[in-house]
Structure formats: structure tokens, C-alpha cells
Amino acid sequence: MATLASLTLAALLALGLPAHAQPQNGAHDDTTVRIGVLAYKGPEAVQRDWSRLRQWLQTRLPGRSVELLDFDQPGLTAAVRARTVDFIITSSGHYAMLEQDDGASRIATLASPWSASPQLAIGSAVVVRRDAALRSLAELAGKHVLAVAPEAFGGYQIAAREMLAAGVDPERDLDRLQFNGFPTQQILLAVRAGRADAGIVRSCLLEQMIRSGELGAGELRVLAPLPHPGSSCQSSSRLYPDWPFAALRHTAPALSRQVAVALLTMAPTADGYSWAVPSDYGSVDELFRELRIGPYDYLRQWTFETALRRYWGLLLLALGLLVLWAVHTVRVEQLVAKRSAELLAAQQRERGMAEEAQARQAALDHTARLAILGEMASAIAHELNQPLAAIGNFARGMARRIAAGRTETAPLLEGANEIAAQSERAADIMRKVRALAQKRAPERRRLDLTAVMDEAVALFRAAHPQARVDWQAGAPAPVLADALQIQQVALNLLKNALDAQRGADDAGAEARTGAGETPLAVTLRALGRDWQVCVRDRGCGLAPEQFARLFEPFFTTKAEGLGLGLSLSKGIMESFGGTLSARPNDDGVGLSVCLTLPNLDLTETP
């Protein structure tokens, strides 16, 4: 026995029991050794169940008396802090709390006879009536469940962990969670009476009550028992170390060593209980962490400190990502600002180039119109001579009548009207010429293509009195364009057609085809969703290879031509959404050049 005590003492020293310490109050000099016991089955059970332990310690501690004090869990905690007890015997969960907060130090662990391993001996039993339909912990959702107390290790906390693992949160998913306190036997009696669907107690309590006759063997059963080879009690949970015997911070080290040796040399009780070397209570710590209770209760409180302690790794990662995002954002903003500046500069350059190109196009259009006017100048001057000569003749005739004293009203009024008509004719010619010669930006506006063509044909006839133009103004043809530019295109097409017929005359085609007597045909018709104007001549036409280059800049079949008229005309028509095309006439004589513009009435229709 002495050898066993020596080995036990060496083991205790190896486990970190203090070799010496100064007493902090007078309790250690008292001859009474006070042991606080958690009375989970009631005060009477403490004296009954632990009497053999008290007697053994009494014999192993000569000159001292041993006293067992029963407490509930809050009372035992208060006694530890008041230093009114020297040692404690309590549940594993309660001990873990006292170790964390009050410096309790285990010196032995209770070895249960029903467990094959003294290190794993305590669990929770979820007990239901034998005829209950419940078969798994998951089916407890929505049920009425009794337990000992929120801080009860075997009477609630162990089972709570298993219920969470089964997908049932006991604080939220149960219909009712009721805590009945000590003694725990009343929980099983309430379940038997049907006052609750299930009850949570520490394992082996059901078997003990059946052996004592408090319960019948077929009345209750353990719900979803887990297999524990070598165990004689059923449990609904995994197992944890059994109750510890612990010294307190103020307990004298010498007394602690004496008690430890006494416990380890104590023979097993008649029920098979004995004391063994202190177990590892790390599994209890894991349970507390998972349930976020005890030392980990702070995890339930969402403060900055809690988040920092629990998620410091994720917070550090988030901070790093935030820094990277900030750097990336600054970099992107710099690149966007640089790119925006480049795009703005490019847009300004493109705008300048576009404005320059537009100005060049306007200059080319104006030049083309002046070229047309230049070619028409002598004809226009000749045409103006007619109304001016008529005005002079009528004015001189009226003067002679007045000089001769022939002042009849009717002849003089007729002469005045003729003078006014001829002056209006001359003014109209000059107005059209002036408008064509003006240099201005094109205007997109609604206009009547029929009226525009009528003015263009009239101006062409005034410039070329000898030319015959077959044109009949018809119904209005609404388009969106610039009247002056459309007239420019029409005059260019008419001039080209007249030159083609004159060229045919010079080549002797007149004798064969009568080109000199055939008028230029100008037609306007609706073509699908467009209006089409065609100018048809009876000239010499074009060779096939000339058609491919007809609208190219600087291509011309005239010896004195610049090759810009049709190219500019095609650009003008396309700018208004139209087209300019050419085709040989059906009889193979001459050419038809056609312009098209969208019918504004049809394009405006939804």
C-alpha cells in the first residue's frame, strides 16, 4: 500500500499539483476537512452515497474530521468563492467552470463501474415513455422537454450538444424547454406521468431508479442510445470524464497530497465505484466551445472584441482584401482618368477632323454649285436679256404714246402689267441663282420633293432655253432633306444628261436616233418606302467598264470635266439616307440616273 501511495504521489506531482503554498486564511489550520458535494439527487443522497468516502478519509487523515456539505450548483460555486469548503465533488462541466474561473485543481476522477474506460464514464440520457413514437433526437423538434438546469452538465449540456448535431436547437426548435432543478429523479417521474414528452438526465440514473424500485422496468426507455462497448448503462450521447475530486486555490498543498493518496488507495465500493488518476477534461472544453457556454460564453455576445477573438483570422484576411481592393480601386481610377483623358483628346481630334472634313465637303459642294453656275452663266445672262429687253420695249412704247398724247388707260395699264411681269420673271431667275451660289451649312427639314424638282427644272430651263425637258409636277412627295443640295444634285444630273445628248449629236447619233429632238425625261414616282426621281437621256451611254467607276472622285468622260459632280451628288444623297444610281435604258440607248429619298410619311408611321 505504501508503494502504491508513493507512486500515486509521484503521479500527482507529475500532473502539476503544487508542492507547497502559503495558506491564505485560517481554514487550513482547522481540524475539519469540509468537502462540498453537488447534490444532484438531493441532500439525503449525498450523505447516503458518499458516506463510505467520508469514513475512509476520516481514517486516512488522523487528527482531522471530515464533513460532507450538500449544495446545488450555484450554492457550490458560492461556497468555493467564500472559501467555506476545502474540496469539491461535482460534475465535469461544473468543475471545468471552477477550474477556469476559481482555480480549482482536480486530484482524482471517479471511475464508474458501468464504463469500460474510467476516462469516459458520464453521458446524458434522453428518456421517453416506452410507448412514445419518438425514435431519434431529430424528432424532438416541437416537443416538450424537461431538463435539470442550463448549467447542468449531464442533465442538459451533454444532451444539448447531441441535439444540435441532430439538427435540433433546444433553445429555438422545441415547443417548450423546462428546467426542473434538483433532485433529478422528478424529471423521470414527470415523463412517466405524461407531463412532458422527454426528459434529460445523466446516464445511469434510469437504471439506478429501476434497481431501487422507483420505476418499473418497462415504463421508460432511453431515446436513440449510442453503442458504448463494455458499458452497463444506456446513453443518448458520447461519453465524458466522470466527476472529479478537486482541491481549491486556498487548500493547503500538504492536505491535498494526503487526500489524493487516500483516494487512490481507497478500495472500490460495493457498487464498483473507485477513484483513479485525474482524467483529461479536454472533451468538456470542446463541448463548452461548441455550445458557446462557460468560458466561451463571450461567443454569444456580438461585440467587436468577440468578433476579434473568434474571427481574427477572417478579419485579418478581410483587412488584407480591403487593402488590396483600395489599392486596386486607386489604380483603376488612375487608369480610368488617364484613359478618359486620352479618349477626350482623341474625341477632340476626331471632332476637329470631322469639322474640317465637313468644311471641306461644304467647300466642295459650293465649288460644284459655282461650277454649275459658271457653265450656266452665259445662258442665264441670255435668259435675263429677254425680260430686260421686254421691259425696255414696253417702257419705250408707253413713253411714245404719252409723247403723242395717246394716253388711253387700257394700253398704258397693259404695258405696266407686262413690265411688272417681266421684272418678276427676272427677279425670280436672280433669286434662284443667288440661292444656289450661297455658301451655307445644309439643313435637314421637311420639304416637298415635287416642288424642289419643279424649281430645279425651271432654273435649268432658264439657263438652257434650247433644251427640252419633259417634266410634269405631280402630287406632293414629302422627304427630309436640304432643298438647295437636292436642287444641286438635280441640276448636275440634268446638265450631264444634256451633255450626253449633245455628245451623241456631235457623233452623228442624231441622224440615227433623233437625239436632238428627244427631250430629257424627268420622272418622280413612289418606289416601296422611297420616292425616286430619274433623269433619262438619249445620249451615247457608257461602256460596261465605265459603270464601275461612274461615282468615283475625278472620274469623268468629259474632256473638260473634273469628275467631282456625281461623286459629290452621291455623298449628298447618302447623307440624307438616300441613294444615287445609274442604269442603261431598256432599249439600250442612253442612260437613266436616279436618286431616291425615304418617304417621310412612311418613315414617320410607327
Side-chain angles (χ1 to χ4, degrees), residues 276-593:
V277 173
S279 299
D280 179 12
Y281 286 76
S283 58
V284 179
D285 186 75
E286 292 177 3
L287 180 144
F288 283 174
R289 176 182 289 274
E290 189 169 327
L291 295 182
R292 293 184 293 177
I293 59 177
Y296 303 99
D297 184 65
Y298 69 89
L299 296 177
R300 293 173 176 258
Q301 303 170 4
W302 287 100
T303 62
F304 176 77
E305 181 181 0
T306 300
L308 187 62
R309 292 175 63 182
R310 186 176 185 184
Y311 301 111
W312 66 269
L314 292 177
L315 291 175
L316 185 62
L317 177 61
L319 180 60
L321 293 176
L322 183 62
V323 171
L324 291 177
W325 176 80
V327 173
H328 174 71
T329 301
V330 172
R331 176 62 176 164
V332 168
E333 289 180 353
Q334 291 177 345
L335 292 176
V336 168
K338 180 179 179 181
R339 183 58 178 165
S340 299
E342 294 176 351
L343 289 176
L344 182 59
Q347 290 174 354
Q348 291 176 345
R349 290 195 299 270
E350 291 176 359
R351 189 181 300 113
M353 294 173 62
E355 292 174 352
E356 184 179 352
Q358 186 177 4
R360 288 198 298 269
Q361 182 68 34
L364 287 174
D365 292 346
H366 185 239
T367 301
R369 291 196 296 272
L370 292 180
I372 294 174
L373 288 177
E375 295 176 356
M376 299 168 59
S378 59
I380 292 173
H382 180 271
E383 181 68 12
L384 285 175
N385 281 335
Q386 293 181 9
L388 292 177
I391 289 172
N393 289 334
F394 281 114
R396 285 191 293 273
M398 292 172 65
R400 285 194 298 271
R401 280 179 174 274
I402 293 172
R406 299 168 58 188
T407 58
E408 296 86 352
T409 303
L412 292 178
L413 183 59
E414 180 181 359
N417 289 335
E418 286 295 337
I419 290 174
Q422 293 298 325
S423 64
E424 181 62 28
R425 177 184 174 189
D428 186 58
I429 294 174
M430 293 306 299
R431 178 183 59 79
K432 294 178 180 178
V433 171
R434 179 181 177 85
L436 194 63
Q438 284 181 343
K439 183 177 182 180
R440 62 175 179 81
E443 297 179 355
R444 297 173 65 91
R445 55 183 297 184
R446 182 186 180 96
L447 52 88
D448 181 9
L449 184 58
T450 300
V452 172
M453 290 301 301
D454 199 37
E455 290 187 8
V457 170
L459 184 58
F460 184 79
R461 283 171 175 166
H464 303 281
Q466 77 283 7
R468 298 177 58 195
V469 180
D470 185 3
W471 158 255
Q472 294 292 330
V479 294
L480 188 66
D482 183 276
L484 184 59
Q485 290 194 333
I486 299 303
Q487 287 181 3
Q488 175 183 342
V489 173
L491 289 172
N492 189 45
L493 299 185
L494 289 168
K495 182 64 170 59
N496 287 343
L498 181 62
D499 291 344
Q501 290 201 161
R502 285 176 176 174
D505 291 343
D506 295 341
E510 182 179 355
R512 299 191 307 273
T513 65
E517 299 176 358
T518 303
L520 301 177
V522 181
T523 59
L524 187 153
R525 67 187 181 110
L527 184 65
R529 299 179 65 86
D530 299 323
W531 293 109
Q532 184 183 67
V533 175
C534 290
V535 178
R536 185 182 65 187
D537 64 65
R538 305 290 292 176
C540 57
L542 293 174
E545 62 274 9
Q546 293 175 322
F547 265 103
R549 304 184 59 195
L550 181 61
F551 297 106
E552 290 183 4
F554 307 110
F555 173 77
T556 181
T557 58
K558 303 176 185 178
E560 73 283 1
L562 298 176
L564 293 176
L566 288 178
S567 175
L568 291 174
S569 297
K570 188 173 188 298
I572 290 172
M573 298 311 301
E574 291 176 350
S575 69
F576 298 124
T579 61
L580 185 64
S581 60
R583 66 174 184 272
N585 293 326
D586 294 338
D587 57 5
V589 179
L591 190 69
S592 291
V593 182

Side-chain angles (χ1 to χ4, degrees), residues 119-149:
Q119 304 298 322
L120 299 174
I122 184 66
S124 284
V126 180
V127 181
V128 298
R129 290 185 298 277
R130 176 69 64 179
D131 58 353
L134 300 174
R135 289 292 180 270
S136 67
L137 296 181
E139 296 177 25
L140 291 175
K143 304 299 182 183
H144 178 195
V145 178
L146 299 179
V148 178

Side-chain angles (χ1 to χ4, degrees), residues 3 24 53 69 76 157 176 215 236 246 267 271 312 379 413 423 451 479 485 492 508 529 537 562-563 593 598 601:
T3 303
Q24 299 182 18
L53 171 66
L69 305 176
L76 185 55
Q157 293 173 348
R176 183 182 176 192
L215 291 173
S236 303
D271 295 335
W312 66 269
L413 183 59
S423 64
V479 294
Q485 290 194 333
N492 189 45
R529 299 179 65 86
D537 64 65
L562 298 176
V593 182
D601 286 346

